[in-house]
């Protein structure tokens, strides 16, 4: 049995979709446990590119069951669009996908609140994806959320009226935005009832039966550890726990069911949205650096969901060490090594200096983190092309050295190395 949790361990977009799609054939079930349409997971198979928001990245494979767990938040409009995109591509998604009946629904007022709050924050905005994620998780915790199973509840109409009274007061009186109509909410609920409810299931029961039968489960994270609501760069984080521990609560399985925790990270670092990023070199707001620009251009660093340009910087081993600790990472999958091809030198951040004091871990305060100066180790770069390499022995010596240092400094073995976006661009170590 190799039940594996595969998670991002930087600020998201580490290449989780690619790695999960690649591991999926060894699995029987692939399950998402948190996040929602803020995620954009890219799968590239030949000239076919698929971007998934809610649906697990194993969906393109036959004979693999895809599950969306109770820890996720689901936008009926977007999920139905995603289903239709897959159906149009010939994927029998209704056969392969089940959604927890306990999933929280993202409704039009969540998106309206997300947008209005960002506007109200002005310069201090979080830079959310605008998908209503924060307000939906807030409602879940406040026990006023609407779940898939609630679509047929007798008191649904009354609950919607009560929620609308509250959110429209916030939107209009407090945030100066427009009210959301009941008709817009009812449209979302009707769509969910028609298209999502038929896929609803008791996910913990399905998982339990699969586990009992000795099947392999792959737990697919969204976002990354530095965006975790507790362990990330709060308040510049998403509104869910993104760490490995969340896989259990977000699906309804016990800890003894997990054998491996695969930490996925790029050979450099990117971030989209606001918040501290100590090794940042380059961004669309005017921070300039040739190596950072090289990463942004060669790595095509634009958000898979929002199209926003991503900020880029050197590999931050302090971030990855932190992630190795909080997730119990048993091995690393390093992606986008090929993007570093052609750089004369590459740097690794091995510590921070804060007001002249050396820190070895991440300060809990975002302001303190933003004041940290990275301590770098500089390694030689390489001019050879690693794009698409599948044999680790053919790597340039300098690339091997970088991987060796990453393993040593982060305290976790590199188990997979991705050298291009395609499913086949992979070295197993
Ligand atoms: P996710 O959110 O973690 O699934 O990552 P995204 O899909 O948002 O972003 C990763 C991007 O990098 C996608 O465009 C992938 O196709 C691409 N990608 C993944 N692995 C590699 C790699 O090893 N090399 C290159 N050049 N691109 C990659
Ligand atoms: P995947 O799964 C990168 C970021 C947003 C913002 C913060 C809060 O593709 O790696 P939210 O909309 O969640 O309230 O935004 O989190 N963010 C991501 N960044 N990849 C993601 O997902 C992200 N999901 C959210 O940019 O900074
Ligand atoms: Mg992404």
């Amino acid at each position: 049995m190799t039940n594996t949790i595969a998670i991002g361990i930087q600020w998201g977009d580490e290449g989780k979709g690619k790695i999960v799609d690649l591991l999926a054939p060894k699995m029987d079930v692939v399950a998402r446990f948190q996040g929602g349409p803020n995620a954009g997971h890219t799968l590239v198979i030949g000239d076919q590119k698929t971007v998934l928001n809610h649906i697990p990245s194993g969906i393109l494979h036959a004979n693999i069951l895809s599950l969306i767990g109770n820890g996720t938040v689901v936008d009926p409009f977007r999920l139905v669009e995603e289903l239709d995109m897959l159906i149009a591509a010939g994927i029998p998604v209704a056969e392969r996908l089940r959604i927890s009946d306990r999933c929280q629904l993202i409704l039009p007022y969540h998106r309206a609140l997300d947008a209005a709050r960002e506007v109200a924050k002005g310069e201090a905005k979080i830079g959310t994806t605008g998908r209503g994620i924060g307000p939906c998780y807030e409602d879940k915790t406040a026990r006023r959320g609407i779940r898939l199973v609630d679509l047929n509840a007798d008191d649904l109409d009354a609950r919607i009226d009560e929620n609308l009274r509250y959110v429209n007061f916030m939107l209009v009186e407090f945030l100066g935005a427009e009210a959301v109509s009941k008709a817009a909410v009812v449209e979302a609920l009707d769509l969910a009832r028609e298209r999502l409810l038929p896929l609803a299931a008791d996910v913990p029961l399905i998982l339990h039966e699969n586990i009992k039968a000795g099947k392999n489960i792959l737990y697919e994270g969204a976002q990354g550890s530095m965006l975790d609501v507790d362990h990330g760069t709060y308040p510049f984080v998403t509104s869910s726990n993104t760490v490995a521990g969340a896989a259990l609560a977000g699906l309804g399985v016990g800890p003894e069911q997990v054998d491996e925790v695969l930490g996925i990270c790029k050979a450099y670092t990117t971030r989209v949205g606001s918040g501290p990023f100590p090794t940042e070199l380059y961004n669309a707001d005017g921070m300039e650096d040739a190596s950072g620009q090289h990463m942004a251009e060669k790595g095509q660093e634009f958000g898979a969901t929002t199209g926003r340009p991503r900020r880029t910087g050197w590999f931050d081993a302090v971030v990855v060490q932190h992630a190795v600790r909080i997730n119990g990472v048993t091995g690393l999958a390093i992606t986008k090594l090929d993007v570093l091809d052609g750089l004369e030198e590459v740097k690794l951040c091995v510590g921070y200096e804060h007001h002249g004091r050396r820190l070895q871990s991440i300060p809990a305060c975002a302001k303190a983190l933003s004041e940290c100066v990275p301590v770098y180790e500089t390694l030689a770069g390489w001019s050879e092309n690693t794009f698409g390499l599948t044999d680790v022995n053919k790597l340039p010596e300098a690339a091997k050295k970088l991987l060796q240092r990453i393993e040593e400094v982060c305290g976790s073995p590199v188990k997979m190395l991705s050298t291009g976006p395609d499913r086949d661009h992979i070295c197993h170590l």
Side-chain angles (χ1 to χ4, degrees), residues 12 22 25 52 84 90 172 198 209 218 225 243 245 247 260 290 304 358 392 399:
L22 181 78
L52 299 168
D84 287 342
V172 177
E209 282 169 353
L218 181 56
S225 298
V243 289
E260 302 276 348
R358 178 82 180 241
V392 74

Side-chain angles (χ1 to χ4, degrees), residues 266-269 279 313-318 320 334 340 345-351 358 374-379 401-410:
K266 287 176 181 164
Y268 49 100
T269 311
T279 64
W314 293 118
F315 186 91
D316 189 337
V318 186
V320 174
I334 307 275
L340 299 182
E345 52 183 34
V346 290
K347 292 188 184 181
L348 216 58
C349 169
V350 294
R358 178 82 180 241
V375 177
Y376 284 119
E377 206 173 281
T378 303
L379 285 82
K401 179 78 192 163
L402 172 68
L403 296 176
Q404 188 194 328
R405 279 307 286 150
I406 288 177
E407 285 189 333
E408 287 165 0
V409 180
C410 301

Side-chain angles (χ1 to χ4, degrees), residues 119-156:
V119 170
K121 276 183 182 284
E123 284 288 291
K125 71 173 195 249
I126 290 166
T128 72
T129 59
R131 299 287 153 89
I133 304 294
C136 185
Y137 276 115
E138 255 175 78
D139 278 2
K140 170 182 177 171
T141 308
R143 296 163 293 190
R144 59 172 171 257
I146 309 293
R147 301 169 304 164
L148 204 47
V149 69
D150 299 330
L151 288 170
N152 289 329
D154 292 341
D155 63 350
L156 179 65

Side-chain angles (χ1 to χ4, degrees), residues 11-14 16 38-41 114 126-131 133-134 221-224 227 236-239 271-274 305 308:
W11 276 281
D13 301 329
E14 296 90 349
K16 297 175 289 295
N38 48 349
H41 296 181
D114 194 358
I126 290 166
T128 72
T129 59
R131 299 287 153 89
I133 304 294
Q223 291 79 53
L227 290 169
F236 301 100
V237 291
T238 190
S239 298
R271 170 163 207 172
V272 58
S274 324
T305 301
R308 291 181 292 173

Side-chain angles (χ1 to χ4, degrees), residues 14-56:
E14 296 90 349
K16 297 175 289 295
K18 180 214 157 125
I19 298 292
V20 168
D21 167 64
L22 181 78
L23 293 174
K26 293 187 194 147
M27 300 288 167
D28 301 290
V29 179
V30 181
R32 275 275 308 269
F33 53 87
Q34 47 69 233
N38 48 349
H41 296 181
T42 314
L43 282 51
V44 178
I45 296 112
D47 56 11
Q48 186 85 23
K49 176 169 142 176
T50 307
V51 178
L52 299 168
N53 301 126
H54 303 82
I55 297 180

Side-chain angles (χ1 to χ4, degrees), residues 12-18 40-42 44 266 298 304 310 335-339 387 418-421:
D13 301 329
E14 296 90 349
K16 297 175 289 295
K18 180 214 157 125
H41 296 181
T42 314
V44 178
K266 287 176 181 164
K298 197 160 180 182
R310 297 177 184 143
T335 62
K336 303 192 104 163
L337 182 82
D338 54 293
V339 172
F387 184 83
S418 172
T419 54

